[in-house]
Amino acid sequence: MLAAHKLLLLHILASLGPIDGSKIINGSIAPEHSLPYMVSVQSVDDHINGHICGGFLVSEDFVLTAAHCDNKIEQVAVGINNLNDNNRKLMDVEGRYKHPSYSSVGHGYDIMLLKLSSKVKLDKAVQTIPLATSETSGGQRCHVAGWGRTEKIYKSDDLRVVDVSILDLEECRKIWGRLPDKVICAGGYETRKGFCQGDSGGPLVCDGEAVGVVSFNRYQICEYPDKPNVYTDVYEHLAWIQKTIKSYS
C-alpha cells in the first residue's frame, strides 16, 4: 500500500511539470539551430497559453513526447531556440496517440506520438532526429534539452542543454527501489545536472540518436537530487512507434 501511495504521489507531482514550463539544471543556452529537432508542445487554453512540454521531430509530420503531457495540446512550435521568436513555425496537432499500455507515469509506457496536420518543411532550423538503433550502456555520455527556468532564473524562454551520463539500469533500480519496465536512468544522481518538472517529453540524445523521452524525477527535487532522472526507453518502444506512424500516415 505504501509503495502504491508513493507511485501515485510521484505521478501527481510529475504531472505538475508541464504546467510550469521547463527547467534544465545547470545547463547552458543551446547555440542557434544546434538542436533543430526540438519542439515546443503547446496549448492555447486560457489557463495554460503556451509551452507545456518538450518534444522532438521523428518524421516530417510526427512528434514524439511523453504521454503525461496530454493536457489540451493543440499545436507545436518548431525551428526555434527562444519561445518568443517571431520566426517560429506553429503547426496544428490533429492526432494524439498514447502508448496503449500507459496509465500513469509510475507504471511506465510514458510515451506519445503527435500527428501534425501537415508536414513541416525541413531546413537548417528544422530537422528530424534518428531514433535509437541499440540499447544504451552505463557511463555513456548524452545530453538533454528543454526550455524555461533554471535554479537561478525563475523563467527563461531560451532552449538550454546539459550533459548527463547513463546510469546502469540495475544500479538505478537499487537506488529507486522500484521502477517501471523499459526505462533509462541518466543524470540527477550524485550530480547537480539533469532535468526538472516541465522538461517532460524532451529527448535524451546519445551519439546523435534519441534514446529516451523525459518522464519523471523524484518529487520536485532538482538541484540536489538523491534519485536518478528517469526516461522512457525509445529503443524498447521502436516497434510501437513505427507501427503507429505507419497506421496514421
Side-chain angles (χ1 to χ4, degrees):
M1 182 64 70
L2 181 60
H5 174 72
K6 286 182 178 179
L7 280 175
L8 177 59
L9 181 59
L10 174 68
H11 173 52
I12 292 172
L13 289 168
S15 296
L16 291 176
I19 298 174
D20 292 337
S22 56
K23 182 177 181 181
I24 287 292
I25 303 303
N26 287 321
S28 58
I29 295 176
E32 190 78 9
H33 306 323
S34 61
L35 307 173
Y37 48 80
M38 287 296 298
V39 164
S40 169
V41 176
Q42 303 188 349
S43 171
V44 293
D45 181 87
D46 290 339
H47 300 291
I48 301 173
N49 191 27
H51 175 82
I52 55 176
C53 272
F56 49 105
L57 279 170
V58 296
S59 77
E60 292 172 85
D61 54 354
F62 277 92
V63 168
L64 199 60
T65 187
H68 78 259
C69 290
D70 191 11
N71 188 8
K72 299 182 179 179
I73 295 170
E74 297 182 43
Q75 62 187 22
V76 302
V78 302
I80 57 170
N81 264 50
N82 186 287
L83 293 175
N84 298 317
D85 188 343
N86 291 329
N87 295 318
R88 67 186 183 277
K89 302 169 186 175
L90 297 176
M91 309 291 295
D92 291 333
V93 173
E94 70 172 33
R96 304 189 298 274
Y97 308 105
K98 296 180 187 178
H99 193 287
S101 295
Y102 174 78
S103 61
S104 68
V105 172
H107 289 90
Y109 301 98
D110 187 15
I111 192 167
M112 174 172 60
L113 279 161
L114 304 178
K115 172 67 185 302
L116 305 182
S117 60
S118 60
K119 292 185 177 182
V120 298
K121 181 180 179 181
L122 301 182
D123 53 32
K124 69 175 182 179
V126 181
Q127 291 290 325
T128 60
I129 184 171
L131 299 181
T133 54
S134 61
E135 296 179 350
T136 56
S137 57
Q140 193 170 355
R141 296 291 294 175
C142 309
H143 65 261
V144 59
W147 283 273
R149 62 192 176 110
T150 71
E151 62 179 342
K152 294 181 180 179
I153 303 172
Y154 177 73
K155 187 176 187 300
S156 169
D157 292 319
D158 292 308
L159 178 63
R160 302 181 73 87
V161 60
V162 66
D163 293 335
V164 292
S165 294
I166 302 289
L167 183 67
D168 178 78
L169 187 56
E170 291 308 310
E171 180 65 21
C172 188
R173 290 190 189 281
K174 291 177 183 177
I175 297 167
W176 270 95
R178 180 178 179 181
L179 279 177
D181 293 330
K182 301 180 180 181
V183 297
I184 295 172
C185 299
Y189 175 68
E190 295 186 343
T191 175
R192 294 180 63 193
K193 293 184 177 182
F195 65 75
C196 196
Q197 275 61 44
D199 284 321
S200 298
L204 175 66
V205 178
C206 307
D207 298 322
E209 297 179 342
V211 304
V213 180
V214 173
S215 184
F216 65 87
N217 65 355
R218 181 177 183 268
Y219 307 142
Q220 299 189 53
I221 302 173
C222 301
E223 287 85 355
Y224 303 97
D226 61 354
K227 305 286 185 184
N229 292 169
V230 181
Y231 301 76
T232 303
D233 191 329
V234 168
Y235 182 72
E236 293 286 351
H237 294 85
L238 273 180
W240 173 79
I241 294 170
Q242 293 166 348
K243 178 181 178 181
T244 303
I245 290 177
K246 183 177 180 180
S247 297
Y248 296 100
S249 292

